[in-house]
Amino acid sequence: MKKSKLKELEQKIKYTFRNFDLLTQAMMHSSYTNEQHLPKYRCNERLEFLGDAVLELVSSEFLFLDSPYTPEGELTKTRASMVCEPSLALCARDLDLGSYLLLGKGEEATGGRYRDSVTSDAMEALIGAVYLDGGFTSAKEFIHRFVLTDLENKKLFYDSKTILQEMVQAAKDGEISYHLLREEGPDHNKSFYVEVKIGGRCCGEGNGRTKKAAEQQAAYKAILQLRKQR
């Protein structure tokens, strides 16, 4: 990948690396280092390990200060949902992080560039890289800008199936069912299209690279529709 492409990412995250190699490493998936016969430690997994710890500390501090009367158990539950794979993948999509990844040909061919597990790991690696390059304050600013934003909407998205279930049960609107409408693309890079019905009536459609992701998006759209009606 050309350096100019990663410079574009720097502009997007509003942070300029003093050690540009850290940014390159943060975007380097293990499939790339394997294919290029590079040492294992050159991939982004060590940065991901570090970024995960920094993210947990910053998100813990945020919740502790933002919710002074919330008990520990509830704080733990909320933190887990904020930094889980779907949430971080959502943050990565906002940055189009997948387009900056260095992948092996096999991983590229099987849709790894847009796989939640890959992009969420890269998000944590990027946090680790910013932390090493600019210290805790820079990492904290990055996390507040790109992870701890629009939390209500993010929670609604990644808990959408649960929230929809609770809404429908409370209103006694009928049974919820998810139906696969169609699949598109080759086996290694499929897109799934799903609709959600409430009491036999279609209330939302979604698509994703897994059936679960498509169901989640359909549930999210159904929630938005139900809120408008009520």
Side-chain angles (χ1 to χ4, degrees), residues 116 157 160-161 178-182 191-196 204-221:
D116 282 3
F157 182 83
S160 55
K161 291 182 73 174
Y178 294 89
H179 304 274
L180 180 65
L181 297 174
R182 66 186 186 279
S191 290
F192 297 87
Y193 294 80
V194 167
E195 68 173 357
V196 58
E205 293 185 10
N207 65 81
R209 295 186 178 273
T210 65
K211 289 180 185 177
K212 184 178 179 181
E215 289 175 357
Q216 184 169 277
Q217 190 178 94
Y220 176 70
K221 290 183 178 178

Short mmCIF file of all heavy atoms in Angstrom, two decimals, residues 116 157 160-161 178-182 191-196 204-221:
data_model
loop_
_atom_site.label_atom_id
_atom_site.label_comp_id
_atom_site.label_asym_id
_atom_site.label_seq_id
_atom_site.Cartn_x
_atom_site.Cartn_y
_atom_site.Cartn_z
N ASP A 116 -16.06 -8.03 10.41
CA ASP A 116 -16.09 -7.33 11.69
C ASP A 116 -14.92 -7.71 12.59
O ASP A 116 -14.33 -6.84 13.25
CB ASP A 116 -17.40 -7.62 12.43
CG ASP A 116 -18.57 -6.82 11.88
OD1 ASP A 116 -18.37 -6.07 10.90
OD2 ASP A 116 -19.69 -6.93 12.43
N PHE A 157 -28.06 0.11 18.03
CA PHE A 157 -27.70 -0.73 16.88
C PHE A 157 -27.22 -2.10 17.33
O PHE A 157 -27.71 -3.12 16.88
CB PHE A 157 -26.63 -0.04 16.04
CG PHE A 157 -26.27 -0.84 14.81
CD1 PHE A 157 -27.03 -0.76 13.67
CD2 PHE A 157 -25.16 -1.68 14.81
CE1 PHE A 157 -26.71 -1.50 12.53
CE2 PHE A 157 -24.82 -2.42 13.69
CZ PHE A 157 -25.60 -2.33 12.55
N SER A 160 -29.86 -4.24 19.00
CA SER A 160 -31.14 -4.02 18.32
C SER A 160 -32.11 -5.20 18.44
O SER A 160 -33.30 -4.99 18.67
CB SER A 160 -30.91 -3.68 16.85
OG SER A 160 -30.12 -4.67 16.22
N LYS A 161 -31.63 -6.42 18.31
CA LYS A 161 -32.54 -7.57 18.37
C LYS A 161 -33.15 -7.70 19.76
O LYS A 161 -34.35 -7.96 19.90
CB LYS A 161 -31.81 -8.85 17.98
CG LYS A 161 -31.44 -8.91 16.50
CD LYS A 161 -30.76 -10.21 16.12
CE LYS A 161 -31.72 -11.36 16.09
NZ LYS A 161 -31.09 -12.60 15.58
N TYR A 178 -37.61 -13.59 11.65
CA TYR A 178 -36.65 -13.11 10.67
C TYR A 178 -36.64 -14.06 9.47
O TYR A 178 -36.65 -15.28 9.64
CB TYR A 178 -35.24 -13.04 11.28
CG TYR A 178 -35.13 -12.00 12.38
CD1 TYR A 178 -35.41 -12.34 13.70
CD2 TYR A 178 -34.75 -10.70 12.09
CE1 TYR A 178 -35.32 -11.39 14.71
CE2 TYR A 178 -34.65 -9.74 13.09
CZ TYR A 178 -34.94 -10.09 14.40
OH TYR A 178 -34.85 -9.15 15.40
N HIS A 179 -36.64 -13.49 8.27
CA HIS A 179 -36.72 -14.31 7.05
C HIS A 179 -35.62 -13.90 6.08
O HIS A 179 -35.47 -12.72 5.77
CB HIS A 179 -38.09 -14.13 6.39
CG HIS A 179 -39.23 -14.43 7.31
ND1 HIS A 179 -39.73 -15.71 7.46
CD2 HIS A 179 -39.95 -13.63 8.14
CE1 HIS A 179 -40.73 -15.68 8.34
NE2 HIS A 179 -40.88 -14.43 8.77
N LEU A 180 -34.91 -14.89 5.59
CA LEU A 180 -33.87 -14.64 4.60
C LEU A 180 -34.53 -14.40 3.24
O LEU A 180 -35.25 -15.26 2.74
CB LEU A 180 -32.91 -15.84 4.51
CG LEU A 180 -31.76 -15.72 3.51
CD1 LEU A 180 -30.80 -14.60 3.91
CD2 LEU A 180 -31.00 -17.05 3.43
N LEU A 181 -34.29 -13.21 2.68
CA LEU A 181 -34.89 -12.86 1.40
C LEU A 181 -34.06 -13.39 0.23
O LEU A 181 -34.60 -13.96 -0.72
CB LEU A 181 -35.02 -11.34 1.27
CG LEU A 181 -35.94 -10.65 2.29
CD1 LEU A 181 -35.86 -9.14 2.14
CD2 LEU A 181 -37.38 -11.13 2.11
N ARG A 182 -32.73 -13.21 0.33
CA ARG A 182 -31.86 -13.69 -0.75
C ARG A 182 -30.40 -13.61 -0.30
O ARG A 182 -30.08 -12.94 0.69
CB ARG A 182 -32.05 -12.86 -2.02
CG ARG A 182 -31.64 -11.41 -1.91
CD ARG A 182 -32.00 -10.64 -3.18
NE ARG A 182 -31.48 -9.27 -3.17
CZ ARG A 182 -32.08 -8.26 -2.53
NH1 ARG A 182 -33.21 -8.49 -1.88
NH2 ARG A 182 -31.55 -7.05 -2.56
N SER A 191 -23.34 -11.66 0.58
CA SER A 191 -24.16 -10.66 1.26
C SER A 191 -25.53 -11.31 1.48
O SER A 191 -26.08 -11.95 0.59
CB SER A 191 -24.32 -9.40 0.41
OG SER A 191 -23.10 -8.70 0.34
N PHE A 192 -26.06 -11.13 2.69
CA PHE A 192 -27.35 -11.70 3.05
C PHE A 192 -28.37 -10.58 3.23
O PHE A 192 -28.06 -9.53 3.79
CB PHE A 192 -27.24 -12.51 4.35
CG PHE A 192 -26.33 -13.70 4.24
CD1 PHE A 192 -24.97 -13.57 4.48
CD2 PHE A 192 -26.82 -14.95 3.90
CE1 PHE A 192 -24.12 -14.66 4.40
CE2 PHE A 192 -25.98 -16.06 3.80
CZ PHE A 192 -24.63 -15.91 4.06
N TYR A 193 -29.58 -10.83 2.73
CA TYR A 193 -30.67 -9.85 2.84
C TYR A 193 -31.80 -10.48 3.64
O TYR A 193 -32.29 -11.56 3.29
CB TYR A 193 -31.13 -9.42 1.45
CG TYR A 193 -30.07 -8.65 0.69
CD1 TYR A 193 -29.03 -9.32 0.04
CD2 TYR A 193 -30.10 -7.26 0.63
CE1 TYR A 193 -28.03 -8.62 -0.64
CE2 TYR A 193 -29.10 -6.55 -0.05
CZ TYR A 193 -28.09 -7.24 -0.67
OH TYR A 193 -27.10 -6.54 -1.34
N VAL A 194 -32.21 -9.79 4.68
CA VAL A 194 -33.16 -10.35 5.64
C VAL A 194 -34.27 -9.33 5.92
O VAL A 194 -34.03 -8.12 5.91
CB VAL A 194 -32.43 -10.70 6.97
CG1 VAL A 194 -33.42 -10.99 8.09
CG2 VAL A 194 -31.50 -11.89 6.76
N GLU A 195 -35.49 -9.84 6.16
CA GLU A 195 -36.56 -8.97 6.63
C GLU A 195 -37.02 -9.45 8.00
O GLU A 195 -36.90 -10.64 8.32
CB GLU A 195 -37.75 -8.97 5.66
CG GLU A 195 -38.51 -10.29 5.59
CD GLU A 195 -39.79 -10.20 4.77
OE1 GLU A 195 -40.11 -9.11 4.28
OE2 GLU A 195 -40.45 -11.25 4.61
N VAL A 196 -37.50 -8.53 8.80
CA VAL A 196 -38.05 -8.89 10.11
C VAL A 196 -39.55 -8.59 10.08
O VAL A 196 -39.98 -7.53 9.60
CB VAL A 196 -37.36 -8.12 11.26
CG1 VAL A 196 -37.47 -6.61 11.10
CG2 VAL A 196 -37.93 -8.56 12.62
N GLY A 204 -39.03 -4.14 8.71
CA GLY A 204 -37.67 -3.68 8.44
C GLY A 204 -36.89 -4.69 7.62
O GLY A 204 -37.15 -5.90 7.70
N GLU A 205 -35.97 -4.19 6.82
CA GLU A 205 -35.08 -5.05 6.04
C GLU A 205 -33.64 -4.64 6.30
O GLU A 205 -33.35 -3.48 6.59
CB GLU A 205 -35.37 -4.94 4.54
CG GLU A 205 -36.72 -5.49 4.13
CD GLU A 205 -36.93 -5.48 2.62
OE1 GLU A 205 -35.94 -5.23 1.89
OE2 GLU A 205 -38.06 -5.74 2.19
N GLY A 206 -32.74 -5.62 6.23
CA GLY A 206 -31.33 -5.34 6.45
C GLY A 206 -30.46 -6.24 5.61
O GLY A 206 -30.92 -7.26 5.10
N ASN A 207 -29.22 -5.85 5.45
CA ASN A 207 -28.27 -6.71 4.74
C ASN A 207 -26.93 -6.68 5.46
O ASN A 207 -26.61 -5.73 6.19
CB ASN A 207 -28.12 -6.28 3.28
CG ASN A 207 -27.51 -4.92 3.13
OD1 ASN A 207 -26.29 -4.75 3.21
ND2 ASN A 207 -28.34 -3.92 2.92
N GLY A 208 -26.17 -7.75 5.28
CA GLY A 208 -24.87 -7.85 5.93
C GLY A 208 -24.10 -9.02 5.38
O GLY A 208 -24.62 -9.81 4.57
N ARG A 209 -22.86 -9.16 5.84
CA ARG A 209 -22.01 -10.24 5.35
C ARG A 209 -22.25 -11.55 6.09
O ARG A 209 -21.69 -12.58 5.74
CB ARG A 209 -20.54 -9.82 5.42
CG ARG A 209 -20.26 -8.66 4.48
CD ARG A 209 -18.81 -8.29 4.38
NE ARG A 209 -18.66 -7.20 3.42
CZ ARG A 209 -18.50 -7.35 2.11
NH1 ARG A 209 -18.45 -8.56 1.60
NH2 ARG A 209 -18.38 -6.31 1.31
N THR A 210 -23.07 -11.49 7.13
CA THR A 210 -23.56 -12.70 7.81
C THR A 210 -25.06 -12.53 8.02
O THR A 210 -25.57 -11.40 8.01
CB THR A 210 -22.88 -12.92 9.17
OG1 THR A 210 -23.24 -11.85 10.05
CG2 THR A 210 -21.35 -12.97 9.02
N LYS A 211 -25.75 -13.65 8.23
CA LYS A 211 -27.20 -13.57 8.50
C LYS A 211 -27.45 -12.80 9.79
O LYS A 211 -28.41 -12.01 9.88
CB LYS A 211 -27.78 -14.99 8.61
CG LYS A 211 -27.85 -15.73 7.29
CD LYS A 211 -28.43 -17.12 7.49
CE LYS A 211 -28.38 -17.92 6.18
NZ LYS A 211 -28.86 -19.30 6.36
N LYS A 212 -26.58 -13.01 10.77
CA LYS A 212 -26.74 -12.34 12.06
C LYS A 212 -26.64 -10.82 11.89
O LYS A 212 -27.43 -10.07 12.47
CB LYS A 212 -25.66 -12.83 13.04
CG LYS A 212 -25.78 -12.27 14.43
CD LYS A 212 -24.71 -12.85 15.34
CE LYS A 212 -24.80 -12.26 16.75
NZ LYS A 212 -23.74 -12.81 17.64
N ALA A 213 -25.67 -10.36 11.11
CA ALA A 213 -25.50 -8.93 10.87
C ALA A 213 -26.70 -8.35 10.13
O ALA A 213 -27.15 -7.23 10.41
CB ALA A 213 -24.22 -8.67 10.09
N ALA A 214 -27.22 -9.11 9.17
CA ALA A 214 -28.38 -8.66 8.41
C ALA A 214 -29.61 -8.57 9.31
O ALA A 214 -30.40 -7.62 9.21
CB ALA A 214 -28.64 -9.60 7.24
N GLU A 215 -29.78 -9.55 10.19
CA GLU A 215 -30.90 -9.53 11.14
C GLU A 215 -30.79 -8.33 12.08
O GLU A 215 -31.78 -7.68 12.40
CB GLU A 215 -30.93 -10.83 11.94
CG GLU A 215 -31.36 -12.04 11.13
CD GLU A 215 -31.26 -13.35 11.92
OE1 GLU A 215 -30.79 -13.30 13.09
OE2 GLU A 215 -31.63 -14.40 11.38
N GLN A 216 -29.58 -8.05 12.50
CA GLN A 216 -29.34 -6.92 13.40
C GLN A 216 -29.74 -5.60 12.74
O GLN A 216 -30.39 -4.76 13.36
CB GLN A 216 -27.86 -6.90 13.77
CG GLN A 216 -27.46 -5.84 14.79
CD GLN A 216 -26.05 -6.09 15.28
OE1 GLN A 216 -25.81 -6.89 16.17
NE2 GLN A 216 -25.09 -5.38 14.70
N GLN A 217 -29.36 -5.44 11.49
CA GLN A 217 -29.70 -4.21 10.78
C GLN A 217 -31.21 -4.12 10.55
O GLN A 217 -31.81 -3.03 10.66
CB GLN A 217 -28.97 -4.14 9.44
CG GLN A 217 -29.09 -2.79 8.75
CD GLN A 217 -28.32 -2.74 7.46
OE1 GLN A 217 -28.89 -3.00 6.39
NE2 GLN A 217 -27.04 -2.39 7.51
N ALA A 218 -31.85 -5.24 10.23
CA ALA A 218 -33.30 -5.25 10.04
C ALA A 218 -34.02 -4.87 11.33
O ALA A 218 -34.98 -4.09 11.31
CB ALA A 218 -33.75 -6.64 9.57
N ALA A 219 -33.54 -5.40 12.45
CA ALA A 219 -34.14 -5.08 13.75
C ALA A 219 -33.97 -3.60 14.07
O ALA A 219 -34.88 -2.95 14.58
CB ALA A 219 -33.49 -5.93 14.84
N TYR A 220 -32.81 -3.05 13.76
CA TYR A 220 -32.53 -1.63 13.99
C TYR A 220 -33.53 -0.77 13.21
O TYR A 220 -34.10 0.19 13.75
CB TYR A 220 -31.10 -1.33 13.56
CG TYR A 220 -30.69 0.12 13.65
CD1 TYR A 220 -30.52 0.75 14.88
CD2 TYR A 220 -30.44 0.86 12.51
CE1 TYR A 220 -30.13 2.07 14.97
CE2 TYR A 220 -30.05 2.19 12.58
CZ TYR A 220 -29.89 2.79 13.82
OH TYR A 220 -29.51 4.10 13.90
N LYS A 221 -33.75 -1.11 11.95
CA LYS A 221 -34.69 -0.34 11.12
C LYS A 221 -36.12 -0.48 11.63
O LYS A 221 -36.91 0.47 11.59
CB LYS A 221 -34.59 -0.77 9.66
CG LYS A 221 -33.28 -0.34 9.01
CD LYS A 221 -33.22 -0.72 7.54
CE LYS A 221 -31.92 -0.24 6.90
NZ LYS A 221 -31.82 -0.63 5.49
#
